[in-house]
Amino acid sequence: MSESFSDDKIFLLESFARHLPPAGIEREQYLDKLAHLLAQVIPNTDPRLKDLALTLIRITLFSLQEGFMLGGFQGISGSRYFSRSLPLDAQVALEKRLTVLARLPAARKEILSWALKALNGELATLLGQGLNLWGHLVVAAFDWMLGLSRRDQNPQYEFGLTLLHLLAKEEGKLWPEELDALIALSTQWVRDLPSFPEYEIRDLFRCLHKVRLSPEQGELLASLLQEWEDTDRYPSERSFATLAEYKRAMRHLGRIEGRGKFFIAVASVLIAILGHFRPSIPPIHTPKIHHDIRYGTLAIGWAMLTKSDARYLPDLLRVLRSLAEINHAEFRLVLEEIFPVFWEQPTGLKPLVELLVEEGFQRFDDFWESRIEALRPSFSRQALQIWLEQVRHKPQAHWLRQVLEGVYTLKVNAAEWLAKQVACEENPQVMELVLKITQRLANRDHNLIVQLESALWERMRLSIERGEMLSSEWARWLAGARLEFLRRGLDLLCQYAEEDEPDDIRSYAYALLSALAREVNRLERTEPLRLAVCWLVDPADGLRSNLPLPKCLQLVGDMMQQTHVDEKVIGWLRRAIVRTPNVEDLVQTLHAGGYYVVNEKGIERLNAIIQAPDAEKFAQVLRVAGCPEWRLVKAHPRLVSVFFKPLDTEGDLRAGAHRRIALARALKYVSNPELFFPLLRDLFELAVDLASAWSVDGDAPGAFPEFSREADELAKELLQAVASLPVTPPVVNLLREMVLAPSRIPQQGLSRTFSPDFIWSTILPLMVRREVDAEAIPPMLAILQEPLPPTGERHQLVQQCILQWLSNVSILDATQQEIIWQSGYTSPDILTRSLALLVLGRQRPLSTRTWQTVLGLLNTSWIVHYIRRTLEIARMRDFFLEPNDVFLLLGTAVALSAEWAREKEALSAEQFQALHRAWRRASSDVHRLIEGLLSQPGILSIRVNYARGLARNLCDAVGKSPYDDPDWLTRPADLARSLLQRFSLTKGDGYERSGIPSTDRRPAPLL
Amino acid sequence: MMADFLLNLLASFAYDLLKALPSRFQGQQEDLLRDLRTELARQTQALEALNAVLARLGVERVVRIEGSVSNSIIITGDGNAVTVADGGNLARQWEALQLDDAQARERYYQEIAAIYEKLTFPLYGLDFSTALEEVYLYPSFHRLRRGLRISATWREGDPVPSVDELLQNPRPVAVLGMLGDGKTTTLQYLTWLYARRPSDRLHWRLGELVPFLLTASDLAEHWQDETDLVTACSRAASQFYHHPLLNPYLVERVLRTALEQGVALILVDALDEYQPAKAQERQKKFVIALSQRWQSDPLRQNSLLLSSRYALQEIGETGAEVLAYHLGKVLLRQQETDAERIDQMLEDLMHLVTAPKMRSFLTPFYVTLLTVSICREPDFATGLARAGDIKQWAGLYRFFLRQTFRWEQDKSGSAVEEKAALLALAHVAWQTFAPKTPELSLDLPLPFSERDREEALTFWKRTGLIWRNEITGTWTFAHAGFKTFGVALWLKEAVQRGRLAEVERLQTATMALEEWDMIWTLYYGL
């Protein structure tokens, strides 16, 4: 690069900086761009460039620091692997900019120096001034006013850790001077603080967990860890020779804990006056616990080192072993945290397995399993080979399989190796694992499993051809695999199931087909066609098709040619819930129960009853025989076929229940609602009958828990299916009936199943973007107008569902909008009100009242909203409501306005400008501060599920993902800030329309 | 044009023939031509029409056409012959017309599989060829934030649908993705897959569905002049981005049969690159018209897959790793035989592409550029080290282009200078770059002759980096990324030629425009 061209680039960068907007979100956005451009000119050492970079990094660091100080920005201390809930947009943007700038050496140095000062509580010294005293006062005032307890986290410390984390993340390595500085910091802490800084050092290690250290860096750190292992030399509590030394240590501690100068000064005076000098800190824990904590800290440190270099494995294992011997609980906690080491450095697995065998550890409980899954296990080829080897040799170490089953991803060469391994693998446990891994990865990345699937298919094909027995895991894999595999598999089995085949071959095929029919019911996700196909090929003819198996196989072959489901397929599916009891089954069951000796005459009578159902007569027969189900039969004659089914092999449901539940689950994925609607209704009636039969079972209420279990499962799946359908009048009525069902079932049956939380978290999100038939609107409005009974919680849930559906239409006339206004927006329930606002805001043309309402919400101070809501709650005397739920309404208003801004036709230029001004007001620092305070964990947190449906509905407009934690909707000021950024460049007040800054704006220089 | 020419030629030839032979034909040559046209309208196949007319007029079957590499020779019964210097095209068409339906489909399968079996971009024209099948990366079809959805029944939280599930969908499906996400490659892969039908693969109705790959702009262009969508589709499917690939008559014949049987798989690429005047409105109309037409018989029984840009998606570390691994393996096997060494190289390669510092290169396009650049260096370790030093996007483009230049120069011994070649490329990029501000002109003259420019562009054409439409003469970049880099190069050229003030004004004017962000990023990285 020529020098003159370099000069030209610097000239252009300076020109860019000169043309920055004076303030606001646009300025932030341009600063982001400038950071990107600066980062492109990396090799340049021109001092002008350095000045520009330093100025930009300091602006950014200061803004980030302010965010931490004034509340709202999320810290990372103590969190393993730094999983955070969604941080504020403002924080994300600043951290991103810092990451970009961290590529510049000067900027990186600056970040490190801020981080070190912040971790030592000396940021004020660096900045040469107190840290936003006014900000602190405002925070304190709010704390006092809202009765909030002070937050646990020290913002300065969190800021420092965040900076270190960003530095480590950016390049995945630390520069030598950076590690030196960190070692110096931790040495200083160990030397100066009154007690050994176990948790602070753990935080440092955690910050660096993704860093790969050079061998020299590793040695440096290793020697430090070895030193600290000497608890005599480095005891948990220090002794002090003099008072001055003690005061100095306490002052340092105070700074790190963010106590402030005033606090420290007062404490020092008190110590001096009272002569309260202690030569050592009073022990909080017993020496043994101190020892455990030290070993825990060291294990985390060695684990961090081991990730970079396997030669530290023995040290890690030694420390772990010591820890396991002295404190099993701490050992398990630490182990959970450092587990990734053993798939990144798998050579250490064997000794770990042995250690855990010695400890008698065999399997994770459910809680641990999910924690391990959260670590996203990823295996290289070598790691996979070693882990599978251990599975073969240590079958009792079930935890190995649990980790492998929770695999998040495989390295591509590992997947390739596994595909080759499939052909020759003899160990059934390993094969089972491979099938489970394939199923798991199939939902995530097809690239990794294409070869694996083909290999499995080939192995299965050969096994079938050789007549080798295949476990039910194989059947489950085939049942859930791509339809083409199932199609080919059935084609293959079709040949073996022919009448003229030898018995052993036929029985082999039959066994596999039976397993297929059973396993398809256990799949998490399945389509109706797949169910019909797998059920039809069941040699036990569970659907009672009365067709020979070869004929069934031929039939399913035709069905699979066309992927769409027609009346014929529905007909087969309907048989899963057939109500007519089969006399043979009935007789067998009665025999098995020993209640009734059925002779020919008895069978004739039963046959007659079943042909012309007469519940009274039937019940009478059973009563005479002493069969306890006689009461159920009398009360719920439609359930006869279920009552007399035996329990399934697992003993928790009646035979056939899994099939019915699978069908209900599959109805969520139908594409033709008209066809499936009757099926859905029938299944729901069955669920209600089962719930009722369980609730009032004559003399022994709740005697058949399997009915309740089935009813719950069915009801859950069916309500989800209804919520997923296009909205027509029958669908509206069915939904109403379902949500209100608990009020007509004895003992409030199904009320826990259809709990408000379930409706908010699961049902409302499913109703987003459903097609709504115009004919369904009047019945929906009629439901909204129904008076709420005194205990109208379930009716309110129905209303919320209706409003969520109505948010999918934009054609409501003025009268209809008035109904929404009256029945929804005036509701004291904030979710109902927010949904009503959403419905009104979706109508076109936009009514003046809706426009003014939204604008009014945005232009009014958050404090006023909060106080109004507090008063409203006080008037209602509802002690469960929390006034900060008003942020949900405000968030809805902001996100709704984003939708308007996206639509060119929705707003005039003047309206857009007014909206822009409202966003500016809404995103003020004070508003962001209030949100930050109220969103602190544990402080008046808004129920997350409450916002889920609305968040799903509005996420597109504000650029959020449907997978994001819906918290963002309860942060209206932060949301408004992001909208200013999003919409400022494309549409707006003269500045944005052309994309060229208008001349009346004075450009503000950066420097 | 060719069809008209042929028609006239054949009419003239047939007229002379009929006059020379005792036949019932008494009309003029124009009458014969009209007859032929009528026949064409019904059958659309010129040569069949000729045969039919001759047969109807009582002439025994006396025509046959033979071909060579350079010519087609029409031979009459009396031994006379007409030689057409068309590279044997006519003979091939004639041969195609003699096939029955099954043979025609098989022929089509073979031809289409051969065309799409290579990873054509960005390696097209380079010495080593890479089988698409070996390196293809299945895309992740995520739910879209806006616009079209994958299927009506798919919900958030469901497993990510596979290509199979897309094909099973009874409704037309759109594949959306960002620049370099692999949309075109996906469609090309599916075309190859369904044409080649490899026995070790199981995909939805593989062996039954017949693939037809076309671009939206080709389809729109042909559909304007042609009321019949099927004919328009055939014509579009016989070319790709205006480049003739196949015999349109063969394509039409196979397509019609496939549509009737409900086994056609139509893959329409680059909806976003169809940019007619009044772009948005007409594009929308085009999609609506296509969608409506698709609802009618027999089309609705078939599968339609469209691709366009706009969705937000990143390949992710796993995707990058998979792509680098497969592509790297193919490339390294051409240079290295030691399997263990290859494994180690691949480990190093995967480690590099997933390193935190390479985070900004996680698209299939950039991963491809990186992998190719590393693997085609004479010494792998050097390639790896050089790639590891790349910190900016501009660095990657520069590395790749310089290497491509050297590669092509060594191969062809061309005398084109690197600087001139890059400048010519930048010039084309600037000229063809659409979102320019009209008030700021940076149209500078090139410091070399038109002939040199032409030579430089032909040089790049050989590398597959740019294509030329033979009819309009316009240049097209194989990938929009190269065009963007070219524009950045041109800005640098402008600054170096003393147009700093204009470039500064341009920067100020485009500060807010997203489509310029990448250009400026590349510019500062130069």
Side-chain angles (χ1 to χ4, degrees), chain A residues 503-699:
Chain A
D503 282 353
D504 57 333
I505 293 181
R506 267 199 306 145
S507 65
Y508 172 83
Y510 280 24
L512 200 52
L513 290 170
S514 294
L516 204 59
R518 194 177 55 246
E519 293 300 325
V520 75
N521 298 332
R522 297 179 194 276
L523 297 174
E524 274 178 33
R525 183 184 188 273
T526 179
E527 319 89 309
L529 178 70
R530 196 185 288 268
L531 281 183
V533 163
C534 292
W535 290 344
L536 262 173
V537 298
D538 181 7
D541 196 18
L543 293 187
R544 309 213 170 284
S545 67
N546 296 324
L547 295 172
L549 190 59
K551 180 78 183 162
C552 284
L553 283 162
Q554 200 180 350
L555 189 68
V556 301
D558 295 341
M559 277 162 69
M560 289 183 80
Q561 277 292 338
Q562 46 177 19
T563 47
H564 66 273
V565 176
D566 56 15
E567 288 285 359
K568 281 183 196 160
V569 177
I570 298 288
W572 291 117
L573 291 171
R574 183 178 288 283
R575 286 168 180 248
I577 44 172
V578 67
R579 298 293 172 85
T580 314
N582 178 284
V583 175
E584 279 171 31
D585 289 351
L586 195 55
V587 170
Q588 268 184 12
T589 314
L590 289 172
H591 270 304
Y595 298 120
Y596 193 68
V597 181
V598 185
N599 53 24
E600 278 185 21
K601 200 176 168 188
I603 292 176
E604 268 176 36
R605 284 179 66 194
L606 283 176
N607 256 325
I609 293 167
I610 287 162
Q611 293 302 319
D614 185 333
E616 282 290 339
K617 274 187 191 172
F618 193 23
Q620 207 178 343
V621 172
L622 296 174
R623 189 181 181 182
V624 170
C627 177
E629 277 94 346
W630 72 271
R631 282 197 174 86
L632 297 178
V633 170
K634 194 174 171 184
H636 308 285
R638 288 185 301 186
L639 291 184
V640 169
S641 61
V642 181
F643 292 152
F644 290 98
K645 286 279 179 197
L647 283 172
D648 64 10
T649 47
E650 286 158 25
D652 57 351
L653 291 172
R654 295 285 174 125
H658 283 296
R659 202 157 43 208
R660 289 187 287 272
I661 294 167
L663 177 57
R665 199 180 296 137
L667 291 179
K668 282 188 282 187
Y669 307 107
V670 300
S671 53
N672 189 346
E674 291 82 22
L675 270 176
F676 288 94
F677 192 75
L679 212 55
L680 214 152
R681 183 168 266 290
D682 284 356
L683 273 169
F684 183 64
E685 280 170 12
L686 180 73
V688 170
D689 280 354
L690 285 167
S692 307
W694 175 75
S695 304
V696 182
D697 169 30
D699 296 335

Side-chain angles (χ1 to χ4, degrees), chain A residues 1 5 8-9 11-13 15-16 18-19 30 33 37 40-42 169-172 381 409 411-413 416 443 445-448 450 454 457 482-485 487-488 525 560-561 563 668-671 724 766 769-770 902 952 956 959 961-963 982 985 995-996, chain B residues 136-138 140 143 145-146 149 152-162 164-165 168 200 202-206 208 318 321-322 325-326 329 343 347 350 356-357 359 391-393 439 492 495-496 500 503-504 507-509 511-513 517 520-521 523-526:
Chain A
M1 183 168 57
F5 182 54
D8 292 338
K9 280 202 280 192
F11 168 80
L12 285 172
L13 277 174
S15 157
F16 192 104
R18 278 197 303 278
H19 286 88
Y30 281 71
K33 286 192 181 192
L37 299 181
Q40 300 302 312
V41 203
I42 289 173
K169 204 173 70 172
E170 204 283 315
E171 276 203 34
R381 180 167 62 187
T409 187
K411 296 279 174 196
V412 55
N413 50 1
E416 199 177 64
N443 295 340
D445 195 334
H446 298 286
N447 292 297
L448 288 176
V450 168
S454 298
W457 163 249
R482 285 187 277 131
L483 273 182
E484 189 66 11
F485 284 91
R487 196 162 79 105
R488 300 274 181 106
R525 183 184 188 273
M560 289 183 80
Q561 277 292 338
T563 47
K668 282 188 282 187
Y669 307 107
V670 300
S671 53
S724 310
L766 283 173
R769 291 194 204 90
R770 298 289 155 217
R902 263 191 353 170
R952 183 66 58 90
D956 283 354
S961 153
Y963 302 103
R982 196 177 164 86
L985 299 177
I996 300 170
Chain B
Y136 175 68
L137 188 69
Y138 286 87
S140 292
R143 176 195 172 274
R145 290 198 172 187
R146 58 184 79 91
R149 286 165 166 249
T153 57
W154 194 72
R155 316 246 183 283
E156 286 91 20
D158 288 353
V160 176
S162 63
D164 264 23
E165 280 164 276
Q168 283 159 21
D200 61 340
L202 283 187
H203 275 282
W204 181 245
R205 297 179 73 187
L206 188 67
E208 292 173 38
T318 313
E321 192 185 87
V322 175
Y325 179 80
H326 287 308
K329 197 162 156 183
D343 278 351
E347 283 282 350
M350 287 192 292
K357 62 178 180 178
R359 203 176 292 127
K391 291 190 171 65
Q392 311 103 320
W393 285 304
E439 65 272 22
K492 180 183 176 186
V495 167
Q496 288 183 328
L500 183 62
V503 173
E504 189 200 3
Q507 178 180 260
T508 312
M511 272 167 93
L513 303 179
D517 283 351
W520 290 113
T521 307
Y523 169 82
Y524 281 102
L526 286 171

Side-chain angles (χ1 to χ4, degrees), chain B residues 75-143:
Chain B
I75 304 165
T76 61
D78 56 3
N80 285 321
V82 179
T83 301
V84 185
D86 64 346
N89 267 342
L90 189 59
R92 282 195 292 276
Q93 288 183 18
W94 179 255
E95 193 193 346
L97 291 170
Q98 311 308 308
L99 303 172
D100 64 23
D101 283 351
Q103 287 170 327
R105 186 175 291 183
E106 199 50 46
R107 165 72 60 89
Y108 173 76
Y109 274 146
Q110 282 170 15
E111 291 192 11
I112 209 82
I115 290 168
Y116 290 110
E117 76 183 343
K118 297 283 194 285
L119 177 66
T120 53
F121 169 71
L123 309 171
Y124 183 76
L126 296 180
D127 266 1
F128 53 79
S129 59
T130 305
L132 175 61
E133 196 256 342
E134 288 186 76
V135 297
Y136 175 68
L137 188 69
Y138 286 87
S140 292
F141 296 99
H142 290 284
R143 176 195 172 274

